[in-house]
């Protein structure tokens, strides 16, 4: 006879059910774990041995074989400690095997028998409900996170001894519960607001357009002009998060091990601002044991790259796939993993290496060659994927010292939500959520222009040398501007404003 305990492993950001099979046989004492486990799983035998002894249980002097099925799936992490220990106890008759059948169990064991948290609890809870398990027994620190999944009896485990007592009906462990509506309301609070920003009305308008259509945006201006301050407030005007988006973000952060202790759900759009020294694996994801990168941590939120030309070229070029596809695929010898990466790119840069090109108060010290080399650090294909490029000049003293505050984030977000609702109706069941995700055929369908506007576009394209991608992105931005105005047809005013959001193209044309 063997004992079977159901557990779970994370693959990418989703989880799969893993069956832990425990066999005790006569022979010389031995403890082996098979089933394509990593080093942490191989070391579990020492943790399990010490935890059982320090919890008052006798460790069997048999030949113990643990199989993690399916055996062809590579498994990582220490979350199999608790199911292995309970399987050994069930095989000895100390824990009733029938109590384990309807229960999914995960947890790492310390040497004294305490149950420690694991990664990916939300993904495991979702697969437990889908697989029809009645109970999900997991570490107490992870229980609040798993409890947001309805229709599942979540049992928090503090220690191995407490878990054994619970399974033997010696004690009652209250199930963890969550009020999802209250959690979303409590966590959807931002600590910054657009009303803090003085002046920069043109930049604020561009950010409103970017938020309404999901467009990538680049801010170009001298040091101290407020580029970072503006960008850090961008998530406060993005559309309200849906429950599906909240769960997606929480899954990614949980798998990456970045979900705060006892935090149940992420209800504010992520804002990630990696340093320019980041590696390509840190940005895109990967490593010896693949983990989500910054592009996945910014899923459904904002990825902010300050001083864009200072990032390594290979890191910037790695952004092209996630910007286009909304996901990133990490290929390794043993497996290929896909992580979600549907984010809005916000970046900033100086107009030149010294930062004062075109500034009347601070003469620029850079030569034309230095300026050209500085801007060429950003490739054309990447720049084509940035829909909005705006200049952010230094703020005049009169606006800084003025007493009036700017428009609040909530007022701007109301208009953004209204524009997104128009887009949701337009795209229906296509799966698109914003104008920035339109492909070329859809752009031709929804961004038709009249003769006057077409002539305006032809003149701009011929003078600025737009690529086909840039041309379509101007139309997408114009479509968003029309949506903000509540208008169905694209007019010359919408296209003219969209063309104003291509400052680097205009600068290049003026220099020719």
């Amino acid at each position: 006879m063997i004992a079977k305990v159901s557990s779970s492993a994370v693959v990418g950001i989703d989880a799969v059910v893993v069956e832990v099979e425990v066999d005790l046989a006569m022979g010389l004492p031995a403890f082996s774990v098979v089933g394509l486990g990593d080093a942490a799983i191989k070391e579990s035998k020492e943790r399990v041995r010490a935890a059982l002894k320090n919890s008052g249980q006798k460790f069997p002097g048999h030949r113990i074989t643990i199989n993690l099925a399916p055996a062809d799936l590579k498994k990582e992490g220490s979350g199999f400690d608790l199911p292995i220990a309970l399987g050994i106890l069930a095989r000895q008759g100390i824990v009733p095997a029938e109590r384990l059948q309807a229960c999914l169990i995960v947890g790492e064991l310390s040497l004294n028998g305490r149950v420690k948290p694991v990664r990916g609890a939300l993904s495991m809870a979702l697969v437990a409900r889908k697989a029809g398990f009645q109970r999900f027994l997991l570490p107490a620190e992870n229980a609040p996170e798993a409890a947001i999944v309805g229709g599942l009896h979540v049992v928090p485990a503090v220690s191995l001894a407490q878990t054994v007592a619970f399974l033997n009906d010696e004690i009652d462990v209250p199930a963890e519960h969550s009020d999802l509506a209250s959690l979303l309301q409590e966590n959807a609070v931002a600590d910054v607001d657009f009303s803090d920003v003085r002046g920069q009305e043109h930049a604020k308008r561009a950010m409103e357009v970017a938020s309404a259509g999901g467009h990538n945006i680049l801010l170009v201006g001298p040091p101290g002009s407020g580029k970072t301050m503006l960008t850090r407030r961008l998530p406060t005007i993005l559309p309200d998060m849906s429950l599906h988006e909240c769960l997606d973000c929480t899954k990614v952060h949980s798998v990456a091990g970045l979900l705060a202790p006892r935090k149940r759900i992420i209800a504010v759009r992520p804002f990630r601002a990696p340093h320019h020294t980041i590696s390509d694996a840190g940005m895109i994801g990967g490593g010896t044991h693949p983990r989500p990168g910054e592009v996945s941590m910014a899923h459904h939120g904002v990825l902010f790259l300050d001083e864009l030309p200072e990032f390594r070229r290979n890191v910037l070029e790695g952004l092209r796939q996630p910007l286009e596809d909304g996901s990133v695929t990490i290929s390794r010898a043993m497996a290929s993993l896909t992580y979600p990466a549907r984010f809005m790119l916000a970046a900033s840069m100086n107009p030149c290496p010294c930062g004062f090109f075109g500034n009347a108060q601070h003469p620029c010290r850079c030569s034309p060659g230095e300026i050209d080399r500085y801007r060429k650090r950003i490739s054309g294909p990447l720049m084509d994927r940035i829909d909005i490029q705006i200049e952010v000049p230094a703020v005049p003293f009169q606006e800084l010292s003025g007493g009036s505050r700017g428009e609040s984030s909530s007022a701007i977000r109301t208009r953004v939500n209204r524009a997104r609702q128009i887009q949701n109706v337009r795209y229906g069941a296509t799966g698109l959520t914003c104008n920035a995700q339109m492909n070329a055929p859809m752009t031709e369908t929804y961004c038709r222009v009249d003769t006057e506007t077409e002539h305006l576009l032809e003149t701009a394209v011929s003078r600025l040398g737009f690529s086909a991608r840039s041309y379509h992105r101007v139309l997408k931005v114009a479509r968003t501007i029309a949506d903000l105005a509540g208008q169905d047809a694209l007019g010359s005013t919408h296209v003219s404003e969209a063309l104003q959001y291509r400052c680097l193209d205009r600068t290049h044309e003026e220099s020719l």
Side-chain angles (χ1 to χ4, degrees):
M1 281 291 292
I2 63 172
K4 294 183 179 181
V5 181
S6 296
S7 187
S8 183
V10 175
V11 180
I13 67 163
D14 296 314
V16 296
V17 176
V18 174
E19 195 170 66
V20 179
E21 300 175 335
V22 181
D23 178 62
L24 271 62
M26 300 301 294
L28 293 175
F31 195 157
S32 60
V33 181
V34 298
L36 212 58
D38 67 351
I41 294 176
K42 297 296 184 182
E43 294 170 353
S44 65
K45 56 186 179 182
E46 304 301 334
R47 293 191 298 271
V48 170
R49 189 194 310 270
L52 285 170
K53 289 182 177 179
N54 292 323
S55 299
Q57 303 294 336
K58 183 179 178 181
F59 191 79
H62 295 77
R63 182 178 182 83
I64 304 172
T65 304
I66 310 295
N67 180 44
L68 307 179
D72 60 345
L73 176 69
K74 184 172 177 59
K75 305 163 191 73
E76 300 174 355
S78 54
F80 296 103
D81 292 359
L82 183 58
I84 288 174
L86 293 176
I88 292 174
L89 294 177
R91 182 65 182 83
Q92 293 178 285
I94 298 174
V95 172
E98 60 273 9
R99 289 293 303 270
L100 300 175
Q101 292 178 356
C103 190
L104 190 77
I105 302 172
V106 295
E108 176 186 340
L109 288 175
S110 65
L111 299 184
N112 63 0
R114 188 173 70 87
V115 181
K116 303 176 70 174
V118 297
R119 296 180 177 182
L122 178 58
S123 300
M124 295 176 184
L126 289 170
V127 78
R129 183 179 65 178
K130 183 178 180 180
F133 288 97
Q134 299 174 4
R135 291 190 182 92
F136 183 26
L137 198 155
L138 77 167
E141 288 88 342
N142 296 125
E145 175 189 345
I148 65 176
V149 178
L152 195 63
H153 190 86
V154 177
V155 181
V158 176
S159 66
L160 178 59
Q162 176 234 30
T163 305
V164 171
F166 167 74
L167 292 173
N168 286 323
D169 287 329
E170 296 173 1
I171 62 171
D172 181 45
V173 178
E176 188 80 25
H177 296 286
S178 289
D179 184 350
L180 191 54
S182 299
L183 285 174
L184 292 175
Q185 186 174 3
E186 291 172 6
N187 288 276
V189 178
D191 55 358
V192 293
D193 196 275
F194 255 92
S195 61
D196 302 330
V197 182
R198 303 291 177 88
Q200 304 292 14
E201 298 304 323
H202 177 63
K204 291 179 183 177
R205 168 64 179 176
M207 290 200 145
E208 179 179 340
V209 173
S211 300
H215 304 289
N216 303 319
I217 184 170
L218 172 64
L219 285 71
V220 183
S225 58
K227 303 186 296 295
T228 301
M229 185 178 185
L230 282 163
T231 309
R232 289 193 177 278
R233 284 153 179 77
L234 185 56
T236 66
I237 64 172
L238 288 174
D240 298 328
M241 292 186 75
S242 66
L243 176 59
H244 175 72
E245 290 175 333
C246 291
L247 293 176
D248 274 355
C249 290
T250 307
K251 283 169 63 177
V252 174
H253 283 72
S254 175
V255 168
L258 297 180
L259 200 63
R262 305 294 298 180
K263 188 175 180 63
R264 301 178 182 225
I265 195 168
I266 293 176
V268 176
R269 293 193 180 273
F271 180 86
R272 305 293 298 182
H275 193 260
H276 65 263
T277 58
I278 190 172
S279 66
D280 50 355
M283 181 70 79
I284 305 301
T288 305
H289 302 291
R291 289 285 183 268
E294 291 292 333
V295 295
S296 297
M297 301 305 298
H299 186 50
H300 292 314
V302 176
L303 177 66
F304 176 45
L305 303 184
D306 198 9
E307 301 298 337
L308 184 64
E310 302 300 330
F311 284 80
R312 300 174 192 173
R313 191 176 185 90
N314 63 314
V315 172
L316 294 180
E317 293 307 302
L319 294 173
R320 288 161 61 175
Q321 182 204 355
L323 283 173
E324 204 69 28
D325 301 336
S327 62
V328 60
T329 300
I330 311 292
S331 297
R332 293 293 181 267
M334 296 300 299
S336 180
L337 302 177
T338 298
Y339 295 113
R342 180 71 67 185
F343 60 91
M344 178 177 167
L345 176 64
S348 69
M349 62 179 287
N350 294 330
C352 66
C354 77
F356 296 109
F357 178 73
N359 192 310
Q361 284 74 30
H362 298 273
C364 177
R365 305 187 302 268
C366 306
S367 67
E370 289 175 330
I371 296 174
D372 189 55
R373 285 192 297 272
Y374 177 74
R375 295 187 176 181
K376 282 184 177 178
R377 293 179 187 176
I378 309 171
S379 68
L382 178 61
M383 191 61 73
D384 276 351
R385 288 170 169 82
I386 300 178
D387 304 356
I388 299 177
Q389 311 157 6
I390 59 167
E391 294 178 345
V392 184
V395 182
F397 174 78
Q398 292 79 3
E399 294 183 0
L400 283 175
S401 60
S404 61
R405 293 171 62 86
E407 192 175 19
S408 68
S409 294
S410 60
I412 301 174
R413 189 170 62 249
T414 299
R415 297 194 294 270
V416 170
N417 281 327
R418 187 162 54 242
R420 283 293 182 101
Q421 289 171 2
I422 294 173
Q423 294 165 46
N424 290 336
V425 172
R426 176 185 300 134
Y427 302 125
T430 62
L432 303 186
T433 59
C434 59
N435 290 328
Q437 299 172 8
M438 282 192 292
N439 55 28
M442 297 179 74
T443 303
E444 294 177 1
T445 302
Y446 297 116
C447 301
R448 295 183 178 179
V449 295
D450 54 28
T451 304
E452 177 188 357
T453 307
E454 186 176 1
H455 180 68
L456 172 65
L457 274 169
E458 181 182 359
T459 303
V461 169
S462 61
R463 289 187 61 188
L464 300 178
F466 282 165
S467 66
R469 184 182 285 114
S470 296
Y471 166 73
H472 283 111
R473 290 187 183 277
V474 168
L475 287 176
K476 293 177 186 179
V477 173
R479 177 69 270 167
T480 300
I481 295 169
D483 290 341
L484 282 168
Q487 298 178 4
D488 293 332
L490 288 187
S492 58
T493 56
H494 308 134
V495 173
S496 297
E497 183 178 352
L499 289 170
Q500 291 298 311
Y501 298 142
R502 305 292 299 187
C503 74
L504 294 183
D505 295 323
R506 296 201 315 274
T507 303
H508 174 70
E509 187 273 336
E510 290 167 0
S511 65
L512 295 177

